């Protein structure tokens, strides 16, 4: 930035005149008029051709001046005492664990910098869920977890034994490293520790609150979503990636608190600049209400004496790297290198001791300043608020951590440092006890604890507390999808269309209909879902202010305040955040929602996998639909779109249940059972189902196959009589190639084939591994039989599997297949061509299935090996064709 | 007082001879406006066709497996006195087109103006231009953005430096002031 310094003034008298005139406008006609005139002046100057650089920054001062700040309502001395105990116990928790073994790890500097930011919220703002209020939703910063545990300990919710088991969870009663609802389901609500996920999830949660309110699913309240973030965390693209949506949606129920301790793991966040100013510019530019909390009350007298604006100027000139130094190097250094830059300022602090200078506090450590900011955030209307709080990393931790580059990794403190912390916060621990690092808390009937309890009870109870009680929703009977179970006769449809029919049926259901939340990342037309625009409407907080271009058509683009579809635009991460908000509504809103997020399967896990992992942690319940899936089925789109691995990667998430159905009835059975498991039985799993866009006729459901569909495989078609026979597996669209291959085998080669539809290789594997594990641990008892074995009991090998996914997918069940097993799959980069060409290229078409079968039979000596070259010639297969993996 | 109207397949976006894959209503059934009547299926999408108005189904004219196009007759709807008497608001697209003699099911903005009570509608029969014209005609208050209030005539580029005209002294509105302070375009 090579702008002219705002501090160089070629004509101060003229400047003064302008300032006075605008001051008189403010006095006479108010600030709005002043604003109007200034805008006019800027506009006039621009229109006259002058270049006025855009500068979305305010002075490096607190947004709320001392004159504007409200009185502090709490008892600061009791709050300070309690906060001191929390600081001590948080520290003791980490240091104790690491004294036992350094492998436990943990962080002490983050909470040390954020303690006051949390305590002001806990004591004065955050309401718990109670009969009177649904509760505020607090996304705590993951690395601050020891402090949150320390508070729960003072509240009497956690005991000493639990604190001693911080990061030692395996034998029970331990505390998880970070907020993990999966591990502490009654405590943590939101998994935030993977940097950048918290802010985005909070934004979409705040919008989802409005969605539920506008649709009348929950009463409208003033509940807020607070997200605690770190300044280093804001470098994650996800953190800043969705800033404009909450402005557009006027989400004044959203508050970001960014703990700007100026440090990230390795060093300063912006050593050569100012992270707070950078963030302010971005948030102001997006339209947020920005509140800076930079300087504590001890600075107020100095700032009030700063008539020449020199201190303000110096504050602005100083970069973060220097600010960090002032905190780590002490008062004398600060006097010399900060105030010393201007003789007038050095003079200003001449009467202050070095210690007093060092104690000039930052805003984020001053409850009065923090309270003022929170009160302003809560009162703000029409826009989201971000509070930029300046703090010190490792505040109060002494010479080994405070303001040091290594602070984040600091897990061990020496005795001298511990004494310093004790003295600084006045913790009643004797010199003898200090090495033992015992936890400390005042008696339950002490003034401190009574105050702490009174504050929480006034705010409705304790936080965080995860509640998973929501009324169950009865799953509709399978018959309600009869249209899909009956088959399509000659009509050819895709499973994507079948899905849309299921969705349309569901939204009409009297019990479930209004709970369904279709979520789309601008791909509704891709998936043939445009009919639903009209049927249930697209959610819009302002309704529809225009006549849609296609208003005269059946499927017009209907936006509505009560619209049910969340149309997120080209935004997979945001869509997934909406899905998580809906999929955890049972816990956060006491009402179960049934989200269906339908997306290009390729842009699922490999694009937003970390959010999906967090969804699993959150115990999300809902459906993820990988649309137009399959490497050779989404024919023309080519390398970046053709998905041949989502069926593999999704099952890395332990509570994700994945299916790759072929027929409409399979899809109906899977979704009906998913509804039963997740909403009727309230099991914390979620579903990943791939759907394809290839049109073909769907048969009626054979009788008695429901359980097989759900468990992962069932016999779809038995081959004719014959001594030499084989068993084929297929899933998704490739099952149809398998059926065609079976026909060829029987007709042209006299080899009858039984064909299994395998709806889920991963479910088969999970079931088999579980049975084996049980057998391992119970060697003397009757062994459990994996379902694969059971299903293949009467089948004859060899076995040949083909899918539109990587070979690893069918390979998952290899060890339980009772015989020779060959797998075909689509390993390699996709490319554009017709489905037939692609299936030939990837060697998964009927001809390759036949060849693979004949090879297995020849290897077993059941047919003459010379049959194979002949067959290859007949099919036009070039034996020298390159491996698709390599081209 | 019951009058019978023909409910037709609306504009389905150029598709012809599409399958009726489900019939969701029965003859004799009382239905509301927006009740799904049939499900049709094109090559890529299945969609429900909602009822254009309330009434009792006098006669169903399609069955599962039929092929229909825009203008095909779906059913005869006997409008009850109450529903027939209720005029639709002309402006909102989703409300238009309920009680004309032959109604394309669900097509919201197209009107056969002769029978329509909606006063603001222009008579047009060509589908394409009708939609455009309707868009223009249905001006709504939200759409008409008020002009920015004109600045006082005295304001020219030198005016701000001059002393403002004397007015009754008003206190500074802190709330508005904070907005002014934060406005990026000022700075």
């Amino acid at each position: 930035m090579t702008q002219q310094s705002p501090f160089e003034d070629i004509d101060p008298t003229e400047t003064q005149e302008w300032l006075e005139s605008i001051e008189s406008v403010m006095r006479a006609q108010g600030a709005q008029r002043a604003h109007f005139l200034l805008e006019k002046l800027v506009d006039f100057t621009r229109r006259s051709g002058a270049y006025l650089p855009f500068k979305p920054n305010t002075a490096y001062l607190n947004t709320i001046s001392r004159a504007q700040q409200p009185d502090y309502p709490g008892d600061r001395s009791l709050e300070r005492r309690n906060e001191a105990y929390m600081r001590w116990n948080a520290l003791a928790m980490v240091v104790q664990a690491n004294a036992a073994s350094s492998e436990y790890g943990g962080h002490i500097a983050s909470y040390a910098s954020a303690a006051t930011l949390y305590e002001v919220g806990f004591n004065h703002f955050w309401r718990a869920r109670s009969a009177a209020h649904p509760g505020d939703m607090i996304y705590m910063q993951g690395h601050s977890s020891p402090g949150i545990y320390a508070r729960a300990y003072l509240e009497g919710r956690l005991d000493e034994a639990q604190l001693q088991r911080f990061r030692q969870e395996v034998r029970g009663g331990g505390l998880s490293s970070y907020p993990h609802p999966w591990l502490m389901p009654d405590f943590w609500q939101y998994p935030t520790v993977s940097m950048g996920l918290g802010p985005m999830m909070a934004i979409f949660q705040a919008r989802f609150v409005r969605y539920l309110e506008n649709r009348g699913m929950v009463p409208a309240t003033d509940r807020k979503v607070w997200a605690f973030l770190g300044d280093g965390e804001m470098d994650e693209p996800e953190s800043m990636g969705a800033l404009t949506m909450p402005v557009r949606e006027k989400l004044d129920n959203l508050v970001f608190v960014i703990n700007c301790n100026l440090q990230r793991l390795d060093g300063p966040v912006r050593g050569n600049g100012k992270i707070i100013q950078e963030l302010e510019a971005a948030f102001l530019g997006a339209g947020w209400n920005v509140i800076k909390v930079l300087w504590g009350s001890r600075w107020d007298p100095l700032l009030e004496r700063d008539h020449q604006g020199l201190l303000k100027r110096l504050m602005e000139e100083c970069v973060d790297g220097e600010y960090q130094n002032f905190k780590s190097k002490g008062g004398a250094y600060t006097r010399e290198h900060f105030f010393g830059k201007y003789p007038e300022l050095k003079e200003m602090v001449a009467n202050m001791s070095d210690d007093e200078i060092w104690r000039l506090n930052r805003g984020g450590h001053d409850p009065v300043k923090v309270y003022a900011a929170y009160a302003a955030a809560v009162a703000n209307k029409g826009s989201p608020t971000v509070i930029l709080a300046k703090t010190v990393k490792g505040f109060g931790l002494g010479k080994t951590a405070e303001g040091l580059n290594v602070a984040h990794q600091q897990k061990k403190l020496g005795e001298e440092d511990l004494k310093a912390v004790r003295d600084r916060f006045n913790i009643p621990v004797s010199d003898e006890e200090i090495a033992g690092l015992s936890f400390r808390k005042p008696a339950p009937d002490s003034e401190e604890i009574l105050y702490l309890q009174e504050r929480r009870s006034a705010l409705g109870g304790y936080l965080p507390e995860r509640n998973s009680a929501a009324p169950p929703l009865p799953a509709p009977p399978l018959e309600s999808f009869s249209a899909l179970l009956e088959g399509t006769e000659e009509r050819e449809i895709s499973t994507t269309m079948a899905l849309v029919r299921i969705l349309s049926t569901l939204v009409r259901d009297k019990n479930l209909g209004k709970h369904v939340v279709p979520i789309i990342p601008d791909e509704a037309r891709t998936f043939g879902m445009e009919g639903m625009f009209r049927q249930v409407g697209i959610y819009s907080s302002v309704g529809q202010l225009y006549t849609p271009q296609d208003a005269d058509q059946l499927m017009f683009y209907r936006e509505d305040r009560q619209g049910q579809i969340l149309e997120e635009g080209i935004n997979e991460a945001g869509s997934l955040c909406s899905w998580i908000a809906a999929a955890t509504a049972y816990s956060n809103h006491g009402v179960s929602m049934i989200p269906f997020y339908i997306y290009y399967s390729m842009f699922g896990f490999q694009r937003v996998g970390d959010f999906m992992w967090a969804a699993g942690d959150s115990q999300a319940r809902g459906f993820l639909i990988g649309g137009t899936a399959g490497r050779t089925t989404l024919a023309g789109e080519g390398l970046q779109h053709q998905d041949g691995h989502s069926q593999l990667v999704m099952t890395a998430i332990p509570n994700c249940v994945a299916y790759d159905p072929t027929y409409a009835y399979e899809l109906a059975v899977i979704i009906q059972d998913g509804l039963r498991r997740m909403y009727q039985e309230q099991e914390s799993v979620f579903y990943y189902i791939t759907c394809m866009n290839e049109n073909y006729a769907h048969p009626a459901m054979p009788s008695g196959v429901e359980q097989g569909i759900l468990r992962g495989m069932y016999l779809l078609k038995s081959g004719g009589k014959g001594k030499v026979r084989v068993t084929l597996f297929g899933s998704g669209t490739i099952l149809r190639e398998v059926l065609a291959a079976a026909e060829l085998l029987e007709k042209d080669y006299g080899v009858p084939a039984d064909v299994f539809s395998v709806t889920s290789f991963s479910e088969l594997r999970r079931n088999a591994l579980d049975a084996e594990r049980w057998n391992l641990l119970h060697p003397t008892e009757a062994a459990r039989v994996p379902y694969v074995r059971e299903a293949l009991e009467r089948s004859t090998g060899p076995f040949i599997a083909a899918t539109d996914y990587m070979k690893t997918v069918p390979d998952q069940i290899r060890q339980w297949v009772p015989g020779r097993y060959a797998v075909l799959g689509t390993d390699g980069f996709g490319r554009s061509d017709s489905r037939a060409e692609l299936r030939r290229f990837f060697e998964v078409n009927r001809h390759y299935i036949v060849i693979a079968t004949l090879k297995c039979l020849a290897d077993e000596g059941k047919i003459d090996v010379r049959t194979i070259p002949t067959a290859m010639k007949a099919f036009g297969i070039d034996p020298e064709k390159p491996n698709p993996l390599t081209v | 007082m019951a009058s019978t109207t023909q409910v037709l397949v609306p504009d389905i976006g150029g598709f012809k001879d599409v399958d009726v894959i489900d019939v969701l209503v029965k003859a004799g059934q009382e239905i509301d406006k927006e009740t799904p009547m049939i499900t049709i299926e094109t090559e890529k999408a299945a969609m429900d066709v909602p009822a254009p108005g309330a009434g009792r189904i006098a006669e169903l004219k399609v069955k599962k497996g039929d092929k229909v196009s825009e203008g095909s007759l779906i059913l005869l709807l006997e409008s009850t006195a109450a529903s027939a008497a209720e005029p639709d608001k002309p402006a909102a697209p989703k409300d238009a087109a309920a009680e004309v003699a032959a109604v394309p099911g669900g097509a919201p903005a197209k009107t056969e103006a002769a029978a329509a009570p909606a006063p603001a509608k222009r008579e047009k029969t060509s589908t394409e231009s009708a939609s455009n014209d309707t868009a223009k005609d249905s001006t709504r208050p939200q759409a008409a953005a008020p002009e920015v209030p004109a600045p006082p005539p005295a304001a020219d580029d030198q005016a701000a430096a001059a002393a403002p005209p004397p007015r009754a002294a008003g206190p500074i509105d802190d709330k508005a002031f904070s907005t002014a302070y934060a406005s990026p375009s000022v700075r």
Side-chain angles (χ1 to χ4, degrees):
Chain A
M1 291 209 208
T2 54
Q3 289 168 22
Q4 192 199 341
S5 163
F7 302 108
E8 279 159 36
D9 192 343
I10 53 163
D11 189 350
T13 317
E14 188 190 30
T15 309
Q16 195 55 35
E17 282 170 10
W18 278 81
L19 291 178
E20 279 165 13
S21 65
I22 205 72
E23 189 186 9
S24 69
V25 171
M26 282 198 290
R27 211 176 318 112
Q29 290 158 289
Q32 264 171 326
R33 174 68 187 155
H35 186 191
F36 175 81
L37 289 175
L38 290 170
E39 294 269 17
K40 255 327 207 212
L41 289 178
V42 169
D43 186 56
F44 178 82
T45 317
R46 284 211 176 108
R47 284 181 179 281
S48 308
Y51 170 65
L52 293 188
F54 174 71
K55 186 177 172 254
N57 269 124
T58 64
Y60 201 59
L61 293 172
N62 292 344
T63 304
I64 300 169
S65 70
R66 187 188 201 174
Q68 294 166 313
Q69 93 199 7
D71 290 336
Y72 193 72
D75 184 326
R76 286 178 61 191
S77 120
L78 289 177
E79 288 178 13
R80 196 180 305 126
R81 299 284 307 138
N82 282 329
E83 187 180 308
Y85 280 108
M86 290 174 215
R87 287 175 179 279
W88 174 262
N89 291 324
L91 168 88
M93 204 180 310
V94 178
V95 181
Q96 266 194 26
N98 285 277
S101 167
S102 62
E103 69 182 299
Y104 296 128
H107 302 273
I108 53 183
S110 292
Y111 178 69
S113 70
T116 304
L117 297 175
Y118 284 109
E119 279 309 296
V120 172
F122 277 122
N123 283 319
H124 302 290
F125 289 93
W126 303 333
R127 294 151 299 185
R129 180 160 162 182
S130 67
H133 196 272
D136 293 314
M137 307 162 87
I138 321 293
Y139 287 70
M140 313 270 183
Q141 206 185 353
H143 294 85
S144 295
S145 60
I148 311 303
Y149 294 138
R151 171 167 254 274
Y153 170 61
L154 255 62
E155 291 167 345
R157 295 200 290 154
L158 296 177
D159 60 26
E160 221 162 285
Q162 286 171 294
L163 298 200
Q164 275 160 355
R165 298 195 60 76
F166 174 58
R167 294 188 169 223
Q168 298 156 66
E169 306 173 77
V170 166
R171 286 175 185 269
L175 301 178
S176 63
S177 51
Y178 300 119
H180 294 304
W182 183 262
L183 299 172
M184 293 178 69
D186 300 323
F187 194 85
W188 292 117
Q189 299 165 282
Y190 313 105
T192 50
V193 77
S194 183
M195 302 277 97
L197 304 197
M200 206 160 179
M201 289 194 289
I203 288 174
F204 282 85
Q205 179 69 263
R207 206 271 307 261
F208 194 70
V209 172
R210 289 284 160 80
Y211 169 89
L212 289 178
E213 291 176 355
N214 283 335
R215 287 197 49 218
M217 300 298 293
V218 299
T221 67
D222 63 348
R223 84 188 296 200
K224 305 269 178 203
V225 177
W226 293 70
F228 279 76
L229 320 169
D231 48 356
E233 178 175 17
M234 300 314 286
D235 283 339
E236 288 286 3
E238 289 87 350
S239 303
M240 307 277 282
L243 289 195
T244 53
M245 185 274 267
V247 174
R248 205 161 60 234
E249 293 290 312
K250 300 185 173 60
L251 298 181
D252 51 23
N253 58 345
L254 176 66
V255 182
F256 271 15
V257 180
I258 306 182
N259 174 16
C260 298
N261 58 31
L262 313 186
Q263 285 179 245
R264 52 192 183 200
L265 276 70
D266 288 348
V269 179
R270 295 287 183 275
N272 297 314
K274 284 208 275 298
I275 182 64
I276 291 175
Q277 297 299 85
E278 184 180 322
L279 291 173
E280 174 186 40
F283 279 91
L284 271 183
W288 287 56
N289 174 38
V290 179
I291 303 175
K292 291 197 288 194
V293 187
L294 307 187
W295 311 108
S297 301
R298 294 198 180 103
W299 284 95
D300 284 337
L302 295 181
L303 283 164
E304 274 153 29
R305 273 156 49 207
D306 181 35
H307 304 300
Q308 288 172 281
L310 274 178
L311 180 56
K312 183 182 152 195
R313 173 176 184 167
L314 178 58
M315 286 170 162
E316 210 129 331
E317 286 168 348
C318 194
V319 295
D320 282 357
E322 293 179 286
Y323 278 119
Q324 186 191 342
N325 261 329
F326 301 142
K327 280 303 161 190
S328 64
K329 294 187 175 158
Y333 182 92
T334 307
R335 183 193 304 280
E336 207 49 45
H337 292 91
F338 181 73
F339 295 108
K341 282 186 184 157
Y342 293 99
E344 296 90 333
L345 294 181
K346 203 170 177 185
E347 180 56 34
M348 192 192 251
V349 296
N351 291 334
M352 293 170 73
S353 69
D354 287 350
D355 193 47
E356 281 172 326
I357 288 180
W358 187 73
R359 282 178 181 279
L360 285 168
N361 54 345
R362 291 196 181 157
H365 299 303
D366 186 335
V368 176
K369 301 292 184 194
V370 173
Y371 180 85
Y374 286 8
V378 168
N380 182 55
K381 293 273 176 256
S383 61
T385 293
V386 60
I387 293 167
L388 301 170
K390 191 174 181 178
T391 62
V392 182
K393 183 124 186 170
F395 181 71
L397 294 179
K399 292 187 176 53
T400 44
E402 191 155 353
L404 301 191
N405 278 341
V406 297
H408 190 79
Q409 312 297 344
Q410 214 49 261
K411 321 173 186 322
K412 298 183 180 183
L413 292 186
E415 215 168 298
E416 285 314 302
D417 294 311
L418 291 172
K419 280 181 189 163
V421 174
R422 176 199 61 186
D423 296 343
R424 173 129 175 218
F425 297 112
N426 203 11
I427 319 279
V429 185
S430 68
D431 280 356
E432 291 72 42
E433 290 172 311
I434 212 143
L437 278 159
S438 46
F439 298 117
R440 278 286 182 276
K441 70 171 170 182
D445 59 352
S446 66
E447 224 186 338
E448 289 93 335
I449 297 298
L450 289 177
Y451 177 81
L452 178 117
Q453 300 288 17
E454 181 277 319
R455 289 315 309 147
R456 281 320 309 165
S457 107
L459 290 163
Y462 298 119
L463 277 175
E465 189 169 68
R466 187 174 176 277
N467 187 323
S468 54
L473 300 173
L478 190 57
E479 296 75 62
S480 40
F481 305 110
S482 58
L484 295 138
L485 305 177
E486 286 161 7
T488 61
E489 292 167 6
E490 285 97 70
R491 276 187 310 115
E492 299 197 335
I493 67 164
S494 64
T495 44
T496 309
M497 290 165 74
L499 172 87
V500 175
R501 289 215 64 196
I502 291 174
L503 271 178
S504 324
T505 309
L506 274 181
V507 296
R508 286 198 298 260
D509 186 286
K510 286 204 163 42
N511 297 314
L512 292 185
K514 60 186 200 292
H515 295 262
V516 175
V517 186
I519 303 168
I520 311 161
D522 205 22
E523 298 277 12
R525 294 180 201 279
T526 312
F527 304 130
M529 290 178 69
E530 57 266 56
M532 295 192 75
F533 289 166
R534 168 68 184 282
Q535 191 184 4
V536 295
I538 298 163
Y539 173 74
S540 155
S541 56
V542 294
Q544 194 158 31
L545 306 177
Y546 61 97
T547 304
Q549 171 273 327
D550 51 3
D552 55 345
Q553 293 189 6
L554 170 61
M555 300 177 289
F556 74 102
Y557 196 85
R558 181 166 82 86
E559 297 193 73
D560 195 302
R561 206 151 177 264
Q562 273 100 43
Q564 204 160 342
I565 298 171
L566 286 172
E567 165 66 88
E568 301 292 11
I570 306 172
N571 179 3
E572 281 82 11
S575 303
L576 198 77
C577 289
S578 274
W579 183 83
I580 293 173
T584 55
Y586 70 94
S587 162
N588 295 315
H589 302 280
V591 51
S592 292
M593 300 303 283
I594 310 173
F596 282 82
Y597 169 33
I598 300 116
Y599 55 93
Y600 256 126
S601 66
M602 195 65 158
F603 305 133
F605 190 92
Q606 74 177 37
R607 192 174 187 109
V608 290
D610 205 14
F611 280 111
M612 292 178 170
W613 189 254
D617 189 352
S618 306
Q619 307 197 41
R621 299 170 187 164
F623 294 94
L624 294 174
I625 308 292
T628 53
R631 184 99 73 206
T632 69
T633 308
L634 182 56
E637 289 290 294
L639 187 150
Q640 184 60 63
H641 290 67
Q642 292 164 350
D643 164 36
H645 48 273
S646 69
Q647 276 296 338
L648 189 63
V649 290
M650 282 307 284
T651 55
I653 304 169
N655 48 352
C656 173
V657 183
Y659 286 102
D660 183 23
T662 308
Y663 295 125
Y665 67 81
E666 294 178 350
L667 189 62
V669 167
I670 291 164
I671 288 181
Q672 193 275 340
D673 194 60
L675 292 169
R676 182 192 63 80
R677 285 177 70 181
M678 295 188 287
Y679 300 103
Q680 193 169 307
E681 311 299 329
Q682 303 196 306
E683 203 181 322
S684 286
V685 293
F686 66 92
Y687 278 61
Y688 176 64
I689 305 172
T690 39
C691 284
M692 275 73 67
N693 66 345
E694 183 171 351
N695 288 347
Y696 45 84
H698 293 245
M701 182 165 79
S703 67
V705 298
E706 291 96 323
Q707 278 310 306
I709 292 172
L710 297 173
R711 299 186 77 176
M713 70 193 299
Y714 65 94
L715 181 62
L716 176 69
K717 183 182 156 286
S718 299
K721 286 200 164 67
K723 213 168 167 202
V724 173
R725 54 190 306 128
V726 295
T727 303
L728 307 182
F729 305 153
S731 54
T733 46
I734 299 299
L735 175 60
R736 299 180 62 250
E737 291 296 324
V738 172
L739 287 166
E743 216 174 297
L744 284 175
L745 282 166
E746 184 151 4
K747 267 200 207 142
D748 299 352
Y749 299 91
V751 178
D754 297 329
V755 177
F756 279 82
S757 171
V758 181
T759 49
S760 177
F761 283 101
S762 52
E763 282 301 291
L764 292 174
R765 178 176 176 81
R766 281 178 178 173
N767 164 276
L769 286 176
D770 186 56
E772 274 198 350
R773 179 184 166 277
W774 192 90
N775 295 342
L776 170 73
L777 298 173
H778 304 84
T780 59
E781 294 175 49
R784 289 184 181 173
V785 181
Y787 175 69
V788 196
R789 284 276 162 122
E790 199 184 307
L792 297 177
E793 207 174 18
R794 281 185 291 276
S795 299
T796 315
F799 300 84
I800 294 90
T803 79
D804 215 2
Y805 291 86
M806 293 175 70
K807 292 174 178 137
T808 319
V809 171
D811 250 340
Q812 290 180 91
I813 60 166
R814 176 172 294 279
Q815 69 226 68
W816 303 283
V817 175
R820 188 176 296 271
Y821 185 40
V823 298
L824 302 181
T826 56
D827 299 46
F829 281 118
R831 61 209 58 210
S832 301
D833 214 312
S834 67
R835 291 188 182 112
E837 277 300 313
L838 287 170
R839 286 169 188 169
R840 193 180 65 78
F841 174 81
F842 281 107
E843 304 168 6
V844 291
N845 67 8
R846 59 198 68 180
H847 296 155
Y848 277 93
I849 297 168
V850 168
I851 298 296
T853 308
L854 296 177
K855 177 74 168 70
C856 287
L857 289 170
D859 288 348
E860 293 189 351
K862 291 177 179 166
I863 62 162
D864 185 344
V865 73
R866 280 169 301 185
T867 320
I868 306 170
T870 316
M872 283 168 69
K873 209 162 170 200
F875 297 146
I877 292 175
D878 171 13
E880 304 315 321
K881 176 178 173 290
N883 182 346
L885 190 66
T886 62
V887 286
Chain B
M1 273 289 288
S3 67
T4 305
T5 52
Q6 297 185 329
V7 177
L8 309 181
V9 172
D11 180 351
I12 49 176
F15 291 102
K16 283 208 170 77
D17 293 332
V18 298
D19 290 309
V20 175
I21 58 168
D22 217 344
V23 177
L24 306 164
V25 290
K26 291 196 254 321
Q29 188 181 336
E30 292 280 345
I31 57 170
D32 294 326
K33 190 166 182 300
E34 295 294 321
T35 299
M37 303 178 296
I38 58 173
T39 307
I40 57 176
E41 188 175 80
T42 67
E43 200 177 306
K44 225 180 104 180
M47 70 209 83
D48 292 346
V49 180
R56 198 183 69 85
I57 297 172
E59 198 180 341
L60 260 174
K61 293 291 192 184
V62 288
K63 59 181 188 310
K64 201 168 154 180
D66 284 358
K67 289 192 187 297
V68 294
S69 304
E70 181 180 354
S72 304
L73 180 59
I74 301 173
L75 51 79
L76 297 177
L77 191 63
E78 220 168 64
S79 30
T80 55
S83 66
E86 173 198 322
D88 270 8
K89 288 166 224 112
K94 59 180 175 192
D95 287 333
E99 55 249 272
V100 286
V103 184
K110 206 164 65 169
T111 60
E112 261 73 355
K121 286 276 159 66
R122 192 180 301 175
E123 290 191 26
K124 272 270 185 179
T125 41
S126 155
T127 318
E128 251 188 297
S129 57
S131 85
N132 291 338
D133 286 356
T134 310
K136 277 183 217 135
D137 287 348
S138 59
T139 314
R140 283 189 255 173
Q142 297 98 309
E147 291 289 329
V148 176
D156 64 36
D157 60 326
Q158 293 299 313
R167 287 266 189 99
I172 288 178
D173 175 356
D174 280 336
K175 202 159 159 276
F177 180 66
S178 72
T179 316
Y181 179 59
S183 170
S185 57
V186 178
R187 307 190 70 83

